[in-house]
Amino acid sequence: MVQYSKKFQAVPEPTIRRMPSYLAFAEGLLRKGQQFVSSTQIANYMNIDPTQVTKDLSYTTIVGKTRVGYEVKAIVDVLSEFLGFSVMDNAFLVGAGSLGSALLHDSGLNHFGLKIEAAFDINPATIGRKINDVEVFHIDQFRDLAQELNVIMGIITVPAENAQTVADLMVAWGIKAIWNFTPARIKVPDDIIVQNTTLYSNLAIIFNKLHQEKREE
Amino acid sequence: MVQYSKKFQAVPEPTIRRMPSYLAFAEGLLRKGQQFVSSTQIANYMNIDPTQVTKDLSYTTIVGKTRVGYEVKAIVDVLSEFLGFSVMDNAFLVGAGSLGSALLHDSGLNHFGLKIEAAFDINPATIGRKINDVEVFHIDQFRDLAQELNVIMGIITVPAENAQTVADLMVAWGIKAIWNFTPARIKVPDDIIVQNTTLYSNLAIIFNKLHQEKREE
DNA sequence: AATCAATAAGGAAATTTTTCTTTAATAAAA
DNA sequence: TTTTATTAAAGAAAAATTTCCTTATTGATT
């Protein structure tokens, strides 16, 4: 594994997974005008242990006040910054099908620092159309456009069997990170960051729990 | 935590998360006509340790053959069954916005054992419409329809601030599991299964890795 | 026929993550 | 002013997960 200096200790992935929810909670409190929030409150909201919250927040520069809690505004500011939500990164999306266009419509991505600059597909019916102001190009045009725009992320929302082909293209285009929404795993060079997001994994977890209940009866 | 007999040992969540990818891989091999697959091959595809694969598969009834591997067809059959993808469960979806309609369009859910019977919203523009043959009703009609159809799962794709309200409704309707796509955490009775699927968590992980690279430079 | 190499499987060890415990600080209450 | 209760924070312990190690099996090679 990669070595880090003590200053930049690697943050556990489960911690990073929880942080966006802390942020969403704090944003809500901020809107309601609440100034401080305790780890107990956050833990209660998240249904986790309070020490988990303090441990998680200790990876950031946020410090709490005994008997008071954390400043809500500080959580919002520091966490947005920490999670990389406060700087805008550019992305290309390949596969303007149903999931692809859902992402194109999702303003949340914009809010959390991701701007989808262009979409690509091979379906003539969608090429040339605009989805939520993002134009859909033929995939062959990717190379030219990648030159123009400073795009660091590629989003794959094509059918699973085409995932590797698209990933290869993205690597060739010089993309740094790939967000893969297919259940297929892709092979890329070591320096490319890959995040697999498979909805069906979540479905599997739900079904497993449902069936577990049945087994216990 | 819940107690299980040794026969029905709880399967680690990370294992269940990986299984749909094993399944997708095996389905691909089956289409290509490959009869056997080794843990090494699967591990190579997944970029994980081979023993991880054998450990994961050992939770199921699948057994491998030394020097040969696992039967591809067995993996497909057993894993589909094991993950609950081979029986169809019924769901209601609340929030027919962009993410909601993407899910309605996604044939993968059907393939993996989930049928969305109806969708609900409060937006008059979408009520009455059909999205991929699924009708959109006003949310007040939920109660009546829940009686008719044997719906065990509720899918929440509304804005985060309305998640709790919708969840409360779902619990009142007698739903057993909730698939929550908002970053908000919902409070439900202990016997209700909740699966939180927040896209932005994945975004946070990517950004974190990207920034880590920068720090290492 | 004998040897070699690849593999599954089970157990042990290491690592990671979560939970528990203790301590110190401090706002609120008495 | 003193006491009490709540909290953050740091460290220890426990639990969960992954990786390593060993063994046995068996198809392929010599």
Side-chain angles (χ1 to χ4, degrees):
Chain A
M1 257 279 120
V2 194
Q3 295 291 323
Y4 305 98
S5 65
K6 265 169 201 139
K7 264 190 178 172
F8 292 123
Q9 197 181 354
V11 183
E13 196 169 297
T15 295
I16 295 173
R17 283 193 182 284
R18 285 185 291 267
M19 282 178 170
S21 292
Y22 298 162
L23 177 58
F25 184 48
E27 284 177 330
L29 295 179
L30 196 64
R31 277 194 297 273
K32 281 195 284 182
Q34 186 172 324
Q35 201 177 352
F36 290 95
V37 62
S38 71
S39 62
T40 317
Q41 271 184 285
I42 300 176
N44 196 260
Y45 167 76
M46 297 282 291
N47 286 313
I48 57 174
D49 199 277
T51 45
Q52 183 90 85
V53 176
T54 58
K55 275 248 175 358
D56 286 346
L57 292 180
S58 74
Y59 289 103
T60 72
T61 57
I62 300 167
V63 282
K65 258 188 174 171
T66 300
R67 195 60 220 252
V68 174
Y70 302 93
E71 206 185 337
V72 174
K73 179 130 184 16
I75 293 185
V76 172
D77 291 348
V78 173
L79 235 42
S80 309
E81 177 71 27
F82 187 86
L83 294 172
F85 291 168
S86 54
V87 281
M88 198 58 92
D89 285 305
N90 293 336
F92 276 173
L93 180 145
V94 179
S98 54
L99 180 57
S101 56
L103 292 180
L104 289 168
H105 276 111
D106 185 10
S107 58
L109 293 179
N110 254 285
H111 181 234
F112 291 126
L114 193 73
K115 186 173 183 207
I116 304 179
E117 291 279 358
F120 297 88
D121 209 305
I122 48 163
N123 181 0
T126 49
I127 292 167
R129 273 183 51 207
K130 277 201 172 185
I131 299 174
N132 196 26
D133 277 335
V134 180
E135 196 164 349
V136 182
F137 298 95
H138 189 278
I139 198 154
D140 292 342
Q141 292 183 260
F142 201 113
R143 186 181 294 269
D144 305 330
L145 286 163
Q147 307 287 329
E148 286 175 45
L149 305 157
N150 181 30
V151 171
I152 60 158
M153 192 190 299
I155 304 174
I156 304 182
T157 46
V158 297
E161 51 268 32
N162 305 324
Q164 186 60 59
T165 314
V166 172
D168 292 343
L169 281 172
M170 285 177 172
V171 170
W173 299 328
I175 244 116
K176 291 205 185 74
I178 293 178
W179 195 359
N180 173 30
F181 281 85
T182 77
R185 296 301 177 100
I186 53 177
K187 278 258 177 304
V188 293
D190 284 346
D191 58 320
I192 308 287
I193 293 159
V194 175
Q195 179 64 25
N196 299 302
T197 298
T198 317
L199 293 185
Y200 311 125
S201 289
N202 295 279
L203 198 53
I205 293 169
I206 299 181
F207 285 155
N208 180 259
K209 285 181 187 162
L210 276 168
H211 296 174
Q212 222 163 56
E213 290 211 328
K214 272 187 200 147
R215 288 202 289 266
E216 279 163 37
E217 274 165 16
Chain B
M1 257 279 123
V2 194
Q3 294 290 322
Y4 305 100
S5 66
K6 268 174 198 132
K7 264 190 180 173
F8 292 125
Q9 195 179 354
V11 183
E13 197 170 297
T15 295
I16 295 174
R17 283 191 181 285
R18 285 185 291 267
M19 283 178 167
S21 291
Y22 299 161
L23 177 58
F25 184 47
E27 284 177 331
L29 295 178
L30 196 65
R31 279 194 296 272
K32 282 195 284 183
Q34 187 174 324
Q35 202 177 351
F36 289 96
V37 62
S38 71
S39 63
T40 317
Q41 271 184 282
I42 300 175
N44 196 262
Y45 167 77
M46 297 282 291
N47 288 312
I48 56 173
D49 199 276
T51 44
Q52 183 91 84
V53 176
T54 58
K55 277 250 178 355
D56 285 346
L57 292 180
S58 75
Y59 288 103
T60 71
T61 57
I62 299 168
V63 282
K65 259 187 172 172
T66 299
R67 199 57 221 252
V68 174
Y70 301 93
E71 206 185 338
V72 174
K73 181 138 184 11
I75 293 186
V76 172
D77 292 348
V78 173
L79 235 43
S80 308
E81 177 71 27
F82 186 86
L83 294 172
F85 291 167
S86 54
V87 281
M88 200 56 94
D89 285 305
N90 293 336
F92 276 172
L93 180 145
V94 179
S98 55
L99 180 58
S101 57
L103 292 179
L104 289 169
H105 276 111
D106 185 9
S107 58
L109 292 180
N110 253 285
H111 181 235
F112 291 127
L114 192 73
K115 187 173 183 207
I116 304 180
E117 292 278 0
F120 298 88
D121 210 306
I122 48 162
N123 180 0
T126 49
I127 292 167
R129 274 184 50 206
K130 277 201 173 186
I131 299 175
N132 195 27
D133 278 336
V134 180
E135 195 165 349
V136 183
F137 299 94
H138 189 277
I139 196 152
D140 291 344
Q141 292 183 260
F142 200 114
R143 185 182 296 269
D144 305 331
L145 287 162
Q147 308 287 328
E148 288 175 42
L149 306 156
N150 182 30
V151 171
I152 60 158
M153 192 189 299
I155 303 173
I156 304 182
T157 47
V158 297
E161 51 268 31
N162 304 323
Q164 186 60 59
T165 313
V166 172
D168 292 343
L169 280 172
M170 285 177 171
V171 170
W173 298 326
I175 244 114
K176 292 205 185 73
I178 293 178
W179 195 357
N180 173 29
F181 281 86
T182 77
R185 296 301 176 100
I186 52 177
K187 278 258 176 306
V188 294
D190 285 345
D191 58 321
I192 308 287
I193 293 158
V194 175
Q195 181 63 26
N196 298 303
T197 298
T198 317
L199 293 186
Y200 311 124
S201 289
N202 296 278
L203 198 53
I205 293 168
I206 300 182
F207 285 156
N208 180 259
K209 286 181 188 162
L210 277 169
H211 297 173
Q212 222 162 55
E213 290 211 329
K214 273 188 200 147
R215 287 201 289 266
E216 279 163 38
E217 276 165 17

